Amino acid sequence: MGKCDGRVTLVAICSLQLMAALQRQVFDFLGYQWAPILANFLHIMAVILGIFGTVQFRSRYLILYAVWLVLWVGWNSFIICFYLEVGHLSQDRDILMTFNTSLHRSWWMEHGPGCLVTPVLDSRIAPDDHHVITVSGCLLDYQYIEVLSAAIQVLLALFGFVYACYVSKVFQDDEDSFDFIGGFESYGYQPPQKTSHLQLQPLYT
């Protein structure tokens, strides 16, 4: 019963992770955030692998899924530190998120709740094919939206890691209990010994 409950819970956690990752992927595409897009893609593949491993009783897949979650927690912790500008991290370093291919930032910067975007005309600091804007009136700044999204990912990953380790351990215990690699020898079975001498009995008619 516990094994079944653990599998159901893990599938539910993976489903939540998948929905959260897909939602995040959409907004990262809209903001041309290439580094998060790549990370989200790998995460989606790992979550699908975790769901498959849970349904098909594959402990090795769950171990790979758990290892990825450790990396995923590290990546999202970096995202949190990046947007909060912890230490020497700065949001002005666009190369960290866009691989220095564009000047775009988070999609939420211009489309956050309550944000009012005002274009700055005839700005001399704007590069070619770009424009300068001012954003005001946001109920929640975009960096905090990104931090909240990353924090949710970390929370789901921690729950997923715990349940992945638990379910993987249960699967491994079941595999050990049904291990017949040694054949009947593990049960002390001795096959009948063949005799090389045959006793012939006379036949009377």
Side-chain angles (χ1 to χ4, degrees), residues 79-80 82-85 91 105-117 134-150:
I79 293 294
I80 293 174
F82 175 77
Y83 281 106
L84 294 180
E85 296 187 341
Q91 298 179 41
R105 293 190 178 181
S106 173
W107 183 82
W108 294 106
M109 183 178 183
E110 302 178 27
H111 303 87
C115 290
L116 178 62
V117 178
T134 59
V135 182
S136 60
C138 296
L139 300 178
L140 187 63
D141 291 337
Y142 74 95
Q143 51 263 53
Y144 298 114
I145 296 178
E146 294 287 357
V147 167
L148 180 61
S149 176

Side-chain angles (χ1 to χ4, degrees), residues 43-185:
H43 181 60
I44 291 172
M45 294 296 101
V47 171
I48 293 175
L49 184 67
I51 295 176
F52 180 80
T54 304
V55 174
Q56 297 295 326
F57 299 91
R58 304 292 180 87
S59 60
R60 294 181 180 178
Y61 292 167
L62 290 180
I63 293 174
L64 292 175
Y65 165 71
V67 170
W68 166 256
L69 289 182
V70 175
L71 301 176
W72 185 242
V73 169
W75 167 254
N76 283 277
S77 299
F78 167 76
I79 293 294
I80 293 174
C81 295
F82 175 77
Y83 281 106
L84 294 180
E85 296 187 341
V86 176
H88 297 287
L89 294 175
S90 174
Q91 298 179 41
D92 295 330
R93 299 179 179 179
D94 298 321
I95 188 175
L96 294 176
M97 293 298 164
T98 64
F99 297 141
N100 204 29
T101 59
S102 69
L103 297 179
H104 291 86
R105 293 190 178 181
S106 173
W107 183 82
W108 294 106
M109 183 178 183
E110 302 178 27
H111 303 87
C115 290
L116 178 62
V117 178
T118 303
V120 178
L121 303 178
D122 300 330
S123 176
R124 296 181 179 180
I125 64 175
D128 296 338
D129 300 329
H130 289 77
H131 61 278
V132 177
I133 61 173
T134 59
V135 182
S136 60
C138 296
L139 300 178
L140 187 63
D141 291 337
Y142 74 95
Q143 51 263 53
Y144 298 114
I145 296 178
E146 294 287 357
V147 167
L148 180 61
S149 176
I152 292 174
Q153 294 289 342
V154 170
L155 183 64
L156 291 175
L158 292 177
F159 280 108
F161 179 82
V162 172
Y163 274 92
C165 293
Y166 167 71
V167 175
S168 176
K169 182 65 168 58
V170 171
F171 288 171
Q172 289 179 347
D173 291 342
D174 290 344
E175 291 174 359
D176 292 340
S177 63
F178 291 101
D179 187 9
F180 295 106
I181 296 177
F184 292 103
E185 293 178 358

